[in-house]
Amino acid sequence: MTALLDLAVVVPTFNERGNVATLVAKLDQALAGLEWEMIFVDDDSPDGTASAAREIARIDRRVRVIQRIGRRGLSTACIEGMCATAAPLVAVIDGDLQHDETLLPGMVAALRRDAALEVVVGSRFVAGGGTGEWDRDRVAKSALATRLARRVLKADLADPMSGFFMIRSDVIRGLAPRLKGIGFKILLDIMTASPRPIAFVELPYTFRVRTEGESKLDHVVAMEYLIALYDRMFGKAVPVRFAMFSAIGVLGLAVHMAVLWLLFRGAGSSFIAGTIVATFAAMTFNFFLNNTLTYRDRRLKGARALLDGWVAFCVVCSIGAVANIGVAAFLHDVRDGAWAASAMVGVLVGAVWNYALSSRFTWGRY
Ligand code: GDD
Ligand code: MN
């Protein structure tokens, strides 16, 4: 008879090969006296993080590896890791040694002491915690992001951006279907997903400096953060992907007009030739922008995939344009005079068509 499992520690990783062995050793030390398992969730890192973790897992059965293929995302990695354990408690900790693993036993103790408590957050912004050696720029950006988060959150959580926390695993399983899984902010996602307030406490720790590998927090991650906030606030009314697709569509219209102006007014081409070139320029512009932003999680890569995607996108949008013109003309006929309203409805129908069909036929591998 073996002892019951107490705790699972989920470690999302992308290119953290150099940190894997140290982290396992540090956890082993910090968690002495507890029955634990560790789940690396690696997004097929090119540096071979998953194989490095498997090498250890062969000899240490407490270590497990989930290797995700063709996927990226810190939040979704954490969610999948947290749902992959039978332990009653589950923690999430970064794989780069920046979080203080010696806090874990204290987190376990807090959850055991108080049955009503659901989440323990490792916090940089309560007394005793800190951001270590961050430069002023990063402190300022983090403070701004934290302020925004608190507005959405409506709870008095000092460090909603923390990526270091422990939760009861039945709580996370219950919330999982409601999670958005966008970007980096998994804790914020959890706290805002619940229809009722979540009982939490914060324990202080000091964020460490990264010594191996590099941070994946870049502009795309910052943009994803804003997207996640938008989604929580307005996502029910206008889905975030459709909002981005439409905003890019408006930019495409500007490209269309600029190209047409250059060719027709500037270079003296015929209106029809100018329009054809402008249409393809706008569709191409929209295709690439949507591929990098709207559908960044299923981005088409490689010449062949891009060409196929571009052709599918142009076909879908051409039909969308015909639908737009048809609807606008029909409405204009029946309600003579309401030209602007007719045009707007036509544009909306075209946009919904383009969005629905391109998400299926251009970026619809999944
Ligand atoms: N599986 C997976 N997939 N893991 C990822 C991905 C991904 O797409 N992107 C990053 N990770 C892993 C990294 O390998 C690391 O273990 C952890 O997630 C944190 O990533 P970093 O790139 O080191 O992020 P950071 O240190 O800038 O941000 C940390 O601090 C923030 C607070 O300022 C994270 O803990 C954030 O969650 C936290 O909000
Ligand atoms: Mn880090």
Side-chain angles (χ1 to χ4, degrees), residues 195-218:
R196 50 167 189 82
I198 295 216
F200 66 89
V201 290
E202 292 181 81
L203 297 182
Y205 83 97
T206 301
F207 204 74
R208 294 186 196 133
V209 179
R210 186 193 256 277
T211 52
E212 291 284 325
E214 47 196 58
S215 172
K216 284 95 212 168
L217 207 162
D218 55 12

Side-chain angles (χ1 to χ4, degrees), residues 14-307:
F14 193 76
N15 285 348
E16 303 288 359
R17 188 186 181 96
N19 290 313
V20 167
T22 324
L23 183 63
V24 176
K26 281 186 176 259
L27 277 187
D28 185 38
Q29 213 168 39
L31 297 175
L34 288 167
E35 289 297 320
W36 56 271
E37 68 176 348
M38 195 175 170
I39 305 166
F40 284 95
V41 188
D42 183 70
D43 287 350
D44 203 19
S45 301
D47 78 345
T49 306
S51 335
R54 272 192 300 268
E55 263 170 47
I56 301 174
R58 278 195 80 184
I59 34 178
D60 189 338
R61 307 282 271 270
R62 300 171 300 182
V63 177
R64 298 201 279 132
V65 182
I66 297 176
Q67 182 173 354
R68 307 198 302 170
I69 309 295
R71 309 267 306 277
R72 267 308 294 277
L74 177 49
S75 285
T76 54
C78 294
I79 297 166
E80 280 164 44
M82 286 189 282
C83 290
T85 183
L89 302 178
V90 54
V92 171
I93 191 168
D94 282 356
D96 58 3
L97 312 171
Q98 292 197 271
H99 293 156
D100 185 354
E101 71 290 336
T102 61
L103 203 61
L104 290 166
M107 291 172 154
V108 172
L111 285 161
R112 283 183 173 169
R113 215 165 28 232
D114 179 357
L117 188 61
E118 294 165 293
V119 178
V120 182
V121 179
S123 177
R124 298 160 295 176
F125 304 128
V126 290
T131 45
E133 291 169 37
W134 273 10
D135 55 44
R136 282 194 21 214
D137 188 45
R138 172 103 199 228
V139 171
K141 282 181 185 150
S142 174
L144 176 67
T146 304
R147 265 206 307 283
L148 281 172
R150 284 205 196 125
R151 190 161 292 190
V152 186
L153 191 55
K154 302 185 198 89
D156 200 16
L157 180 59
D159 194 355
M161 322 292 289
S162 178
F164 182 30
F165 59 91
M166 191 180 292
I167 186 167
R168 291 190 196 282
S169 56
D170 54 346
V171 174
I172 189 67
R173 277 192 298 274
L175 288 177
R178 295 167 170 270
L179 296 176
K180 302 278 186 187
I182 305 174
F184 262 41
K185 302 308 160 202
I186 176 65
L187 179 64
L188 189 61
D189 198 4
I190 292 172
M191 301 297 281
T192 51
S194 172
R196 50 167 189 82
I198 295 216
F200 66 89
V201 290
E202 292 181 81
L203 297 182
Y205 83 97
T206 301
F207 204 74
R208 294 186 196 133
V209 179
R210 186 193 256 277
T211 52
E212 291 284 325
E214 47 196 58
S215 172
K216 284 95 212 168
L217 207 162
D218 55 12
H219 290 106
V220 174
V221 172
M223 182 193 78
E224 284 182 327
Y225 178 60
L226 296 178
I227 292 174
L229 290 184
Y230 166 95
D231 204 21
R232 271 287 176 236
M233 292 199 270
F234 316 111
K236 281 218 174 74
V238 182
V240 61
R241 256 199 235 275
F242 182 66
M244 291 180 75
F245 192 88
S246 304
I248 289 171
V250 172
L251 293 180
L253 181 63
V255 169
H256 183 106
M257 298 310 279
V259 171
L260 181 59
W261 186 83
L262 275 176
L263 292 176
F264 179 57
R265 301 303 297 268
S269 75
S270 74
F271 184 75
I272 203 72
T275 298
I276 291 172
V277 175
T279 304
F280 274 98
M283 286 193 298
T284 306
F285 172 84
N286 279 15
F287 169 72
F288 281 102
L289 219 53
N290 277 313
N291 194 46
T292 23
L293 298 176
T294 317
Y295 294 100
R296 64 201 176 285
D297 55 335
R298 9 176 159 155
R299 187 173 299 166
L300 303 172
K301 288 183 194 133
R304 189 60 217 250
L306 281 170
L307 184 66

